[in-house]
Amino acid sequence: MHKYDRTNLYIYPLIRDSEEKSAAGVIRFYNNKTVDSVADKHSIRIVALFSGMEEAFRARAAWFDAAQYFRYEFAGNYVVYAKK
């Protein structure tokens, strides 16, 4: 999406140690804009997760409170959380 000059898009890579090299390429592709660089994580209004990554995200993203978001599931594709 950064190809469309999005300035408000951040990624949160969930990787295994064996995938660090390929994740670094993805992070560079998104101009090193990770969620870790967002000072006020409570200002994050949308979270989109690929299918199968929801539990891993919730386990690692201590800042994320699902009760503060509406959850929309697009079966087999992704889950989107939108701030209430």
Side-chain angles (χ1 to χ4, degrees):
M1 292 189 85
H2 91 252
K3 291 181 180 181
Y4 301 102
D5 296 322
R6 295 289 305 259
T7 60
N8 60 348
L9 178 68
Y10 298 86
I11 64 170
Y12 192 81
L14 298 169
I15 58 172
R16 296 180 197 99
D17 291 339
S18 62
E19 298 171 331
E20 280 188 42
K21 187 175 182 178
S22 60
V26 171
I27 292 169
R28 275 193 309 278
F29 181 78
Y30 284 97
N31 297 322
N32 298 313
K33 291 179 68 173
T34 67
V35 170
D36 292 337
S37 66
V38 176
D40 179 12
K41 290 176 183 47
H42 298 289
S43 69
I44 296 173
R45 301 189 51 79
I46 300 285
V47 174
L49 304 165
F50 289 114
S51 182
M53 298 306 293
E54 193 169 4
E55 290 305 315
F57 172 75
R58 291 176 113 190
R60 293 184 184 173
W63 59 269
F64 180 75
D65 179 5
Q68 300 296 313
Y69 294 81
F70 294 108
R71 182 183 182 276
Y72 303 96
E73 183 172 354
F74 300 86
N77 294 311
Y78 51 92
V79 173
V80 173
Y81 286 91
K83 195 82 166 199
K84 290 181 179 179

